[in-house]
């Protein structure tokens, strides 16, 4: 693996750095899980798009720069180091778009992709149900054929859908053939969140924000043109999303490089609190660098034509634990002051906000217990969960 950048890649990095320095909002935006924050983050997406930085690795016809994976990683590093806002479009651009490119029809591409890049169409992931999180194949929400209207009727309930309260559309799996086995007979649908028959109920999060939601479906009509992939093939389509989410696209190393840099800065200002702080700061820095190098390795392999397999689960466990450790160390350094939020707080209260969010890391995108099972079975070759050797 060659870590030297070409002159073009150096120039790309510099161009991104310069644009971000000129355009990133001076004051942090309110949380995107609050109504005002969601709006402000949507506006930021439009600014990014206008600058041509919304989706650097996408084809130019959909608002991208035709850039490669390496440029994408470079951009992410610059993005987070600049203190830019988190991406409220991430469900669309990171989770849905890769499978839309792979399984969507040309008509779906034209209808959806351009609007994901400027914040005008923000998506919610509607996978989890009250009885189906880790065991996603046990979903019960149904899709029934409506031949007269050329589409399907959705019924049931989804839960834990991030930002569904303010998002425009959702994507999720429904059981379209009740007689088929668990993984068969599922179909992947795209639907507007304000469709007739949909009720979105906010769930209050640990930090008091209410962007999280339950979604209820009561005979919601979805036309055939909003089925993604073939009817009955939803499991395969959905699993490509899961691979992307855990493997590479959801959490680029830039996020943790920036967090470990802020932690180091805080340590320089505050010094050691207790005996372990210096070690923890060093561990955080090493962890972020290790994740960066591992990602460069993954990118190299992908450029050689390989895909991200079960090692995506290793990434997921690693970044989620690294994030929690970084935020916890920052909070410990701040002591009681770290509990303050709002304008008088250090970094506007970012340490406590980011700590609370980091607690969710080992849960969303597939819990770490499940990821460890995948690592044990598919990478280490240990016996399947629940089965004797
Ligand atoms: C911040 C956040 C955002 C989220 N956003 C979304 C979203 O936008 N859209 C969406 O659809 N969902 C979302 N989720 C839901 C998330 O995907 C689920 O919470 C997750 O898949 C776990 O499912 P569950 O909550 O049903 O827990 P369960 O599956 O009931 O698991 C409970 C516990 O049992 C463990 N467990 C279960 N099975 C096994 C096993 N076989 N071996 C070992 N341990 C096991 C789990 O690891 C977990 O610790 C989000 C969750 C969080 C926290």
């Amino acid at each position: 693996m060659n870590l030297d950048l070409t002159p073009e890649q150096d120039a790309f990095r510099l161009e991104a750095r310069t644009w971000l320095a000129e355009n990133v909002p001076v004051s942090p935006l309110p949380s995107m899980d609050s109504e005002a924050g969601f709006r402000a983050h949507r506006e930021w997406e439009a600014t990014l798009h206008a600058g041509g930085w919304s989706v650097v690795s996408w084809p130019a016809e959909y608002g991208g720069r035709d850039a490669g994976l390496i440029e994408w990683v470079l951009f992410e590093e610059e993005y987070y180091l600049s203190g830019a806002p988190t991406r409220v479009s991430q469900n669309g651009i990171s989770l849905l778009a890769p499978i839309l490119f792979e399984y969507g029809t040309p008509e779906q591409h034209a209808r959806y992709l351009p609007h994901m890049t400027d914040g005008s169409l923000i998506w919610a992931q509607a996978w989890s149900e009250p009885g189906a999180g880790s065991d996603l194949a046990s979903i019960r929400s149904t899709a029934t054929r409506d031949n007269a209207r050329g589409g399907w009727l959705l019924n049931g309930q989804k839960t834990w859908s991030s930002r569904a309260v303010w998002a425009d559309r959702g994507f999720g799996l429904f059981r379209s053939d009740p007689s088929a086995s668990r993984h068969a007979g599922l179909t992947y649908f795209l639907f507007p969140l304000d469709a007739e028959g949909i009720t979105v109920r906010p769930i209050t999060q640990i930090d008091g924000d209410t962007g999280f939601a339950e979604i209820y479906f009561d005979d919601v009509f979805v036309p055939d043109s909003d089925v993604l992939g073939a009817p009955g093939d939803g499991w395969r389509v959905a699993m490509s999303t899961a691979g992307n989410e855990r493997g590479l696209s959801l959490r680029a190393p830039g996020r943790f490089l920036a967090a470990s840099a802020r932690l180091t800065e805080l340590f320089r200002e505050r010094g050691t609190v207790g005996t372990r702080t210096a070690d923890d700061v060093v561990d955080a820095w090493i962890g972020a660098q290790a994740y960066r190098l591992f990602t460069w390795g993954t990118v190299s392999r992908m450029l050689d034509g390989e895909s991200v397999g079960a090692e995506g689960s290793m990434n997921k466990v690693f970044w989620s634990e690294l994030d929690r450790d970084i935020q916890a160390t920052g909070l410990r350094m701040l002591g009681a002051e770290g509990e303050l939020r709002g304008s008088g707080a250090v970094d506007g209260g970012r340490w406590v906000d980011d700590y609370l969010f980091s607690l969710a890391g080992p849960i969303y995108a597939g819990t770490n217990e499940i990821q460890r099972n995948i690592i044990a079975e598919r990478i280490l070759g240990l016996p399947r969960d629940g089965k004797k050797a």
Side-chain angles (χ1 to χ4, degrees), residues 6 11 22 33 47 68 78 86 92 98 106 136 144 155 192 202 211 238 247 252-253 298 303 335 346 370 376 387:
T6 64
E22 287 165 2
D33 285 345
T47 307
E78 292 302 323
T86 38
L136 190 64
T144 322
N155 280 287
T298 306
L303 290 174
V346 177
I370 298 296
K387 301 237 164 61

Side-chain angles (χ1 to χ4, degrees), residues 91 125-130 132-135 159-162 212 357 360 363-370 373 385:
N91 283 339
Q125 184 189 36
W127 278 20
S128 305
E129 295 184 6
S134 302
D135 186 13
T159 191
W160 311 131
S161 189
S162 298
F212 232 16
F357 186 71
I363 303 172
Y364 66 83
T367 66
N368 283 8
E369 290 80 10
I370 298 296
N373 279 349
D385 182 27

Side-chain angles (χ1 to χ4, degrees), residues 9-64:
Q9 286 162 346
D10 274 329
F12 176 91
R13 185 199 270 283
L14 190 63
E15 191 189 343
R17 185 177 298 169
T18 308
W19 186 88
L20 289 162
E22 287 165 2
N23 289 279
V24 167
V26 184
S27 311
L29 305 181
S31 160
M32 65 180 180
D33 285 345
S34 68
E35 190 167 8
F38 186 86
R39 222 177 309 119
H41 280 77
R42 200 198 270 273
E43 283 164 20
W44 166 245
E45 292 291 330
T47 307
L48 262 182
H49 173 76
W53 295 104
S54 171
V55 280
V56 294
S57 56
W58 284 25
E61 67 175 305
Y62 299 120

Side-chain angles (χ1 to χ4, degrees), residues 70-86:
I70 291 183
E71 284 77 7
W72 175 74
V73 179
L74 292 176
F75 175 71
E76 292 281 307
E77 286 184 9
E78 292 302 323
Y79 188 84
Y80 284 103
L81 283 171
S82 74
T86 38

Side-chain angles (χ1 to χ4, degrees), residues 344-367:
V346 177
D347 273 351
R350 182 168 182 180
W351 285 102
V352 68
D353 285 345
D354 287 359
Y355 173 71
L356 291 176
F357 186 71
S358 76
L359 296 178
I363 303 172
Y364 66 83
T367 66

